[in-house]
Amino acid sequence: MSIYGVTKGTEFEEQADKNRKGEEQGAGMYAGLAYIAKERGLDELSEILLKIAADEMRHAGIYAVLNGNTNEDIFEFLKKIAPAETNAFERLNQFASRVRESGLEDAAKQIEAIAVDERRHGELLTNLVDKESK
């Protein structure tokens, strides 16, 4: 039995949405702490925090499914989102340039790395959609 949308329109919808938002914020917080831990050479702590961040994001996804806030047509959604991921590359590199111009070289390098990831995400999603359509 699918759990898709089972809390939508019920007395549980608002709480599930609050829980989703809290889990999303927690994922970002733990991932950020993991980054700081890694910078400080606390590799084991960093790995643990990244695992917690992944759990929190998985929890957020479950709450999104409960409230029907995800698209059930997976490949149609991926087809729409892939270009946004790919196009983020240019937008983020422009942002990195502005950050660099303000003297924040290390921050600009991190944003550029994110841009590369986003382009890769777009390519992966495009390949998945193409594979499915064959």
Side-chain angles (χ1 to χ4, degrees), residues 96-108:
S97 292
R98 291 194 317 269
V99 170
R100 181 173 282 111
E101 288 169 6
S102 74
L104 300 172
E105 180 65 26
D106 290 339

Side-chain angles (χ1 to χ4, degrees), residues 9-10 18 24 28 30 35 46 60-61 66-67 69 77 81 92 99 110 123-124 126-127 130:
T10 71
K18 286 179 183 178
E24 288 170 353
Y30 285 119
Y35 184 86
S46 178
L66 287 171
N67 273 352
N69 298 128
F77 177 76
I81 200 71
L92 289 170
V99 170
Q110 292 300 318
E123 291 167 357
L124 286 168
T126 298
N127 290 338
D130 290 347

